[in-house]
Each structure stands twice: as structure tokens, then as C-alpha cells.
Amino acid sequence: MNWPIQDCWYHRSLTPQAVFSGAVPDAEQASRVVIIGAGFAGLATALGLLERGCRDISIVEAQTVGYGASGRNGGFIMAGYSLPESRLINRLGEPLARELYQLTLRAQQTIKRRIREYQWDCELVDEGIVLADWFNNQAGLRVRQQFMNGRMGARWQMLAAGELPAYVSSRRYGGGLLEPDGAHFNPLKYVHALAGYLQANGVRIFEHSRAVAIQPGPRGWSVTVNSQDRQCRLSAEQVVICAGGYIQEQGQDQGLRVSQARAVLPVATYVMVTEPLGAALRQCLPAQAAIYDNRFAFDYYRAMADDRLMWGGRIAIARPAPDRIAQWLKRDMLKVFPELAEARINSAWGGLMGYTRSQMPSISQTQPGLWHALGFGGHGVCATTVAGEIVAAAISQEGRQQRLFEPFEMAPVYGWLGLLAAQGYYWWRQLRDVLRL
């Protein structure tokens, strides 16, 4: 099944004043840059261009801003990529791996700076992110801290078993690591605030406008768009494809850069939100840091602004109904917080993450003036900002950091065969986590 954005609690949390409303194209239009996809990556690219003085930008979105993963995720502003740092070093060597990781550390600061500077109301909580130890392995935590601080340039702090309850009170965990630069927010409010800012500063954002073809044109490229039963063309010097895990879900692969669509594997994950829990939530989470654990198939959760608990987890190819998602995730929640057995679930939903075979984003110019930024694999809040800054700087002729992503070329993911392989790998890693207990 498809999960409409209306099932997502974030959508319900939007006030009428906060809802962004885009236009639809009604004629042939020319822009310097056309961006396909109004999620984190597309909007970050537009903002990067705007901050560099380029306002002649059009964004086309098949649904509404933030419809895909950008408006459904856990809202963790955390550094890193889907590919583990140790494997990044094995692939590239330590200097390049460290440089790539540092890009996401800078993106954390960029996101927080923009929220404060532009006064976006998106429930930002700048109190860190805690990695909680599921396996009661203090020595392993120390090794992890030393690796991240020494080789990646992070500044993680050790939390002994007696210190962790100041952040999360559960017998399930044996200690943890604090990433003090991490933060969390309401991602859909962020998307709507960012889109509103762009529109107010001259960027054209077209919703319900499906890009169906890209062809060479008189200005460089011509993008054919279907919108409200009519078709128009947008011409541009530069085109950036940022459709992500929904490039196939929204039908944007029909005649539109099939190579990009075939290189992204849409994998599902699930989120739920409880009723307001009041004092019970503060007993479980005395601080405001977001939490995740150190299993491969980890839980991630955080306190929301109105004393609700947001809980996410699991990776699957299945697309169950919201009530089934709520059952699964509440069962996971009670393994950590059995005292919340009576808590009611107000909303549950799923979303699609876009994975590449390398587990790294694909950020590239495939032909002169034709770019893509895809495949953020569940670590997109910071990595999409990285992509937006890289593409915006390259278009503005201010940098060539896209070379750092050249080793991660697009490769086919083989459709359902790829999905079945991903599910099998997930189950195998789950089994390894169970055997470690």
C-alpha cells in the first residue's frame, strides 16, 4: 500500500499558517536552474544557490513539499552516512573518509544556523543525540568513541551506565555515547518553513507537477512537466534531480533518467507517535536528547514538543497498514519502556528511504548541466544539506567537492531482486544482534 502524508503526525501538527502552498506552471518558463523534487535535497540545493546570489530557480514536485522521506523521518540531525565509517575508511582510506564525514558535521551547524538566522519554527531541540548501548559492553563503547573522535574528528562523550539515566531511564541499556552537536526537529515543519522562505525570495516552487522527461533544449535542457491535466516545458541551463526513494513511487522514472531510477532501492521504515504522556515521558527521557541504540536494526526515538514520544525503527520491503505498524513499534517500545504499556498510539506511518548499492549518496554531474543528488539511505537530514551545498557551489563555480563522491558511481539495484536481497541482509544482521545478547 501507499502511505499518504496525511497519516503522518507531522502533517497533523502543521498549523494553517505554517502550511506552504506552491503554484502550478501554466506556461512555458525559463530558469537558470530547474530542480526536480521538493524534499530536503532539492530545497537545500535551492537555498545553497540563493545564498550564493542565484534566484532564477524553479522547483517541480510531483506531490507536495516534503511528501517523501523528508516529511516522514525521525528528525535526527546527526552526522554520518548509511555506510559505516569503518567501511568508508576501507573503501577510500582515512583522509578522504574523514573529509566526507566532516562535511556532515559542518552540515549539522549549517542546518542549526539557518533555522536560527531565518527564524523557522520547526521545534528545534539542540541537546545532542545519545547512542545507547544495547549489549552492555562498556569496552566496545570506548573503542567506538576513540575511533570516532580520533579518526573521524567527532567529539563524542562517554556515558557510563550510571550516567545514562540522566538521558534515558531504561534497564535495557548499559551505557552510551553522547554526540553533543546532534539535534532534532520536526522535519515537515522545517521543509515547509524552508520552502516558504525560498518562495518569499523569488524561487518558484510548483507542486502537483510531475516531471516526465528531460531532453536537450535551446538553453541547455528542457524539462517536460505534467500538471493538472496539462503539459508544459521548463527550460534551464542546469537541471538537478533530487527525487530520492520516491523516484519510482511517484512515477518520475517514466521517461525521466531511467538510469537514476534503477540505481535507487526504495526500502521502507516505520514511525509512530504516542498520545501526550506528561510525567511518564519525562521519567523515561529526563533530558531532551534524541536516542538510538547500537544494534544494526536499531530503535530511534525522541520526546516531542507536546510530551508525545516519537518512536521509529525496522527496515523492510513490506508496506503494512498503519495499525499493523503501530502494533509492531509499540512492541519494540515496550522492550525498552515496559512502564508505557497503557500508552495509546495516535499515529503510525511508513516511508521509503532511497538506498544505492554503495550505501552512499550519489552526487554527480552525468552530463554538462545535468546533476543528480540521490540515495541518502535513512541518513538524509545532514547528507542532503551536504549534497545541496556541493551542487550549489559547483553550479556557482565555487567548488568541486562532488569529486569526493566520484567513487560511488550509480549502479543498478535490480528491482525486486535487490529488495529481497536487502530484506535477507537485514534479517541476517538482526539474527547477529540477537546472538550477541
Side-chain angles (χ1 to χ4, degrees), residues 83-277:
L83 186 68
E85 290 80 17
S86 59
R87 291 175 57 191
L88 198 57
I89 288 177
N90 292 340
R91 177 77 183 268
L92 301 178
E94 187 170 323
L96 286 180
R98 182 185 176 103
E99 188 173 356
L100 280 167
Y101 185 82
Q102 288 288 315
L103 290 177
T104 64
L105 288 178
R106 290 197 288 274
Q108 283 181 316
Q109 303 308 319
T110 297
I111 292 168
K112 292 187 286 186
R113 186 263 302 170
R114 285 170 169 169
I115 291 171
R116 294 181 175 120
E117 180 177 337
Y118 302 135
Q119 299 181 349
W120 295 337
D121 179 12
C122 57
E123 301 169 14
L124 176 67
V125 178
D126 193 6
E127 299 291 337
I129 297 173
V130 170
L131 173 62
D133 179 24
W134 188 271
F135 302 105
N136 195 23
N137 182 359
Q138 290 283 305
L141 284 180
R142 181 67 67 185
V143 169
R144 176 70 172 161
Q145 180 201 26
Q146 291 172 349
F147 172 86
M148 291 302 299
N149 292 357
R151 304 187 71 178
M152 291 291 103
R155 57 189 197 102
W156 289 14
Q157 300 170 13
M158 189 75 177
L159 299 173
E163 297 172 307
L164 187 63
Y167 295 89
V168 52
S169 180
S170 173
R171 295 181 180 179
R172 175 66 267 176
Y173 305 128
L177 294 169
L178 171 65
E179 181 187 347
D181 296 318
H184 58 92
F185 62 2
N186 181 315
L188 191 57
K189 284 188 175 181
Y190 174 78
V191 166
H192 279 253
L194 170 51
Y197 178 83
L198 291 171
Q199 189 177 67
N201 284 275
V203 176
R204 297 171 291 276
I205 302 179
F206 302 120
E207 296 183 306
H208 305 291
S209 302
R210 188 183 309 277
V212 295
I214 302 174
Q215 299 170 318
R219 290 185 54 134
W221 295 96
S222 176
V223 180
T224 303
V225 176
N226 286 346
S227 179
Q228 294 186 348
D229 298 324
R230 62 176 178 265
Q231 191 173 89
C232 69
R233 287 183 174 82
L234 307 180
S235 61
E237 299 172 13
Q238 309 274 342
V239 172
V240 189
I241 303 172
C242 301
Y246 285 74
I247 191 169
Q248 297 171 1
E249 187 75 6
Q250 298 186 24
Q252 288 186 316
D253 59 331
Q254 302 302 314
L256 174 64
R257 317 316 301 178
V258 174
S259 60
Q260 278 90 348
R262 289 176 176 169
V264 178
L265 194 67
V267 178
T269 189
Y270 313 125
V271 185
M272 72 176 188
V273 169
T274 70
E275 65 182 341
L277 299 176

Side-chain angles (χ1 to χ4, degrees), residues 316-366:
I317 62 175
R319 302 187 187 183
D323 58 347
R324 180 59 61 87
I325 293 173
Q327 291 172 8
W328 289 347
L329 294 186
K330 185 170 182 181
R331 190 182 311 148
D332 294 342
M333 179 183 74
L334 296 183
K335 293 176 184 177
V336 179
F337 300 123
E339 61 269 38
L340 298 181
E342 300 303 316
R344 293 193 301 271
I345 308 306
N346 279 169
S347 181
W349 65 92
L352 299 178
M353 305 174 290
Y355 278 86
T356 64
R357 280 176 62 181
S358 69
Q359 295 181 260
M360 284 291 290
S362 180
I363 304 169
S364 178
Q365 181 178 213
T366 52

Side-chain angles (χ1 to χ4, degrees), residues 278-396:
L281 178 60
R282 291 185 287 276
Q283 289 173 1
C284 295
L285 296 175
Q288 291 294 304
I291 313 293
Y292 70 113
D293 68 65
N294 58 347
R295 293 171 297 165
F296 176 78
F298 57 84
D299 301 322
Y300 54 93
Y301 51 94
R302 60 186 180 86
M304 300 181 73
D306 54 357
D307 283 342
R308 300 176 191 272
L309 178 64
M310 186 231 75
W311 189 281
R314 303 196 176 213
I315 298 173
I317 62 175
R319 302 187 187 183
D323 58 347
R324 180 59 61 87
I325 293 173
Q327 291 172 8
W328 289 347
L329 294 186
K330 185 170 182 181
R331 190 182 311 148
D332 294 342
M333 179 183 74
L334 296 183
K335 293 176 184 177
V336 179
F337 300 123
E339 61 269 38
L340 298 181
E342 300 303 316
R344 293 193 301 271
I345 308 306
N346 279 169
S347 181
W349 65 92
L352 299 178
M353 305 174 290
Y355 278 86
T356 64
R357 280 176 62 181
S358 69
Q359 295 181 260
M360 284 291 290
S362 180
I363 304 169
S364 178
Q365 181 178 213
T366 52
Q367 298 180 48
L370 182 59
W371 298 82
H372 66 260
L374 304 165
F376 299 97
H379 285 67
V381 176
C382 286
T384 49
T385 297
V386 169
E389 286 295 284
I390 286 174
V391 176
I395 290 175
S396 302

